[in-house]
Amino acid sequence: MKYFIMATIILSILFLALGIAGIAIKILVKKNGRFSGTCSSNNPLVQGNDGSCSICGAKSDEKCRS
């Protein structure tokens, strides 16, 4: 039982490290380290009442300003 718990912990740490490494590699490979399409104006769940992005102010039909 002791080895099962230890193996589970090691696998969890390994998968977490792989996920973080994957995101870091994606940031390094992307131009200027920015992800495209992450403006909240693209997501209707986080838009303000007026239909604009609460972060950059872009309307849902406009391109992200940030």
Side-chain angles (χ1 to χ4, degrees), residues 1-62:
M1 185 72 175
K2 180 176 148 180
Y3 297 111
F4 178 73
I5 294 172
M6 184 64 81
T8 304
I9 291 172
I10 290 173
L11 280 174
S12 300
I13 292 172
L14 178 68
F15 285 131
L16 186 62
L18 283 173
I20 292 172
I23 292 170
I25 291 169
K26 187 173 182 179
I27 289 172
L28 290 173
V29 172
K30 282 289 200 180
K31 183 179 178 183
N32 297 329
R34 303 187 80 189
F35 293 107
S36 61
T38 57
C39 182
S40 60
S41 63
N42 296 331
N43 187 344
L45 298 175
V46 293
Q47 290 177 346
N49 292 335
D50 61 351
S52 63
C53 175
S54 60
I55 296 171
C56 71
K59 300 284 186 192
S60 58
D61 58 345
E62 295 177 344

